[in-house]
Amino acid sequence: MPLPSLGKVERRLLDGIANNGAIHLALLDPEEFDPERASSIVKALERAGSAAVMLGGSTVSMPSQVSDLAKRIRAESDLPVILFPNGLAGVVGEADAIFFMSLMNSTNPYYIVGAQALAAPLVKRFGLEAIPMGYIIVGGAQTSVSFIGQANPIPQDKPDIAAMYALAAQYMGMRFVYLEAGSGSREPVKPEVIRRVKEAVDIPVIVGGGISTPELAQRAVGAGADAIVTGTAIEGSDMGMVVKIIGAVRRDRGLKGG
Ligand code: 1GP
C-alpha cells in the first residue's frame, strides 16, 4: 500500500522551515477574538511573514466561535488555518488542517487518546488535513492548559525527560513535537530543554508559551526551535511587538549553525 503523501498545509510548514530556518505560528483564541477584530490582525500577521494561524484555547466550548473565526481568516488572508483543539468543541469544518495532537504527559487518558478517538470521525467527515503532533507541557507554571489537561509537567531542569517524551512522540509516528510552557507563562521553555529535545528528534520542534519579546523568540530559535507560537502578544494588540517577534523568528538561526 502506498504511503499517504503529506498534505498541503504540512508541506507549506516544512517548506517554510527549510527556507527560513524557523517559522512563526500565530495563535488566536476564539474566545478572545471576534471575527471583526481578527481580520485586521490577520492581515498584519500575513504581511509580517507569519506562516499560519492556529485556532484554539484551553477553555473553548462553542464550535461556532471557532468556525466563524476560521471563515473570516480564510476570507481575509491566504494564511492556512490550523485547528489547535482543546477537545471536540475545537473541531470544525471551516479550517484547512488540524494539529491532531496527543497531550503526551497528561495523567488522564482522555487527553492522550480519548478525545482524539471521538474527534477522528469528524476530522474525516470535514476533510481536514490531520497533522499528527506530540504535545508536551513543560515547567511548573500554573497555566490553563496544564490544569485542564491534567498534565504532569516536565520540570525545566530535567531536559532529558523532555527529550525522552519527544523521541517517544517521534517513534509513535507524530510528525511535529510541541513544547508548551502554557499561554502567558512567565517561564518560557528554557533553551536547554529545547536544545536537548532538538538533539534527540528528527521531527520539527514547535515551542510556545510566554514568548513575548523578539529576544525570547530568538533565544528559542537559537536553541533549536523550528517554529515559535505566540498568542498572548497578539491578544495584547501591540502589533509592533508581534511584527518584531516574527522578524526575529525568520532571521537565520545563527546560533544553531544550521
Ligand atoms: C499557548 O504556546 C501558546 O498554547 C502561546 O502562548 O499565549 O504565551 O504566547 P502565549
Side-chain angles (χ1 to χ4, degrees):
M1 218 165 75
L3 286 173
S5 59
L6 287 189
K8 258 197 274 184
V9 176
E10 186 169 352
R11 171 60 46 214
R12 189 161 154 181
L13 298 182
L14 296 178
D15 286 348
I17 293 167
N19 295 334
N20 300 298
I23 55 173
H24 176 264
L25 301 172
L27 173 63
L28 301 193
D29 184 338
E31 292 192 310
E32 302 291 336
F33 285 92
D34 58 61
E36 213 49 58
R37 182 174 167 224
S39 87
S40 64
I41 287 179
V42 164
K43 282 182 191 143
L45 289 167
E46 188 169 29
R47 271 197 306 276
S50 195
V53 178
M54 293 162 55
L55 289 191
S58 297
T59 54
V60 165
S61 59
M62 276 176 62
S64 60
Q65 278 182 326
V66 186
S67 45
D68 289 350
L69 192 53
K71 263 188 256 172
R72 187 62 175 259
I73 295 169
R74 289 173 88 190
E76 303 278 359
S77 83
D78 291 326
L79 290 175
V81 175
I82 308 174
L83 300 174
F84 179 55
N86 59 328
L88 278 177
V91 183
V92 300
E94 286 78 7
D96 298 291
I98 179 169
F99 278 132
F100 202 82
M101 52 210 261
S102 172
L103 208 178
M104 307 278 297
N105 57 333
S106 177
T107 58
N108 184 341
Y110 180 77
Y111 294 104
I112 302 170
V113 70
Q116 293 79 354
L118 291 169
L122 267 183
V123 170
K124 187 166 184 168
R125 184 171 329 146
F126 290 149
L128 290 165
E129 176 184 334
I131 304 175
M133 176 216 273
Y135 190 47
I136 301 171
I137 297 184
V138 177
Q142 282 292 357
T143 58
S144 300
V145 68
S146 182
F147 180 82
I148 300 277
Q150 297 169 38
N152 183 21
I154 294 172
Q156 295 263 23
D157 62 354
K158 301 283 181 220
D160 288 336
I161 297 182
M164 284 161 48
Y165 270 81
L167 190 56
Q170 175 179 323
Y171 289 156
M172 290 166 97
M174 276 89 167
R175 297 198 290 265
F176 288 80
V177 66
Y178 188 147
L179 303 176
E180 172 71 271
S183 186
S185 171
R186 277 196 291 272
E187 201 185 68
V189 181
K190 287 194 171 154
E192 188 52 25
V193 175
I194 301 171
R195 202 168 290 122
R196 214 67 76 82
V197 165
K198 184 65 187 171
E199 279 164 11
V201 299
D202 305 307
I203 54 179
V205 178
I206 303 173
V207 178
I211 300 179
S212 53
T213 64
E215 291 73 26
L216 285 171
Q218 236 166 351
R219 187 181 80 163
V221 171
D226 297 290
I228 298 294
V229 180
T230 62
T232 304
I234 301 168
E235 272 163 38
S237 286
D238 179 356
M239 286 311 284
M241 176 59 82
V242 175
V243 168
K244 281 188 203 148
I245 292 174
I246 297 172
V249 171
R250 284 167 55 98
R251 238 170 281 143
D252 198 11
R253 51 158 65 154
L255 289 170
K256 199 180 159 277

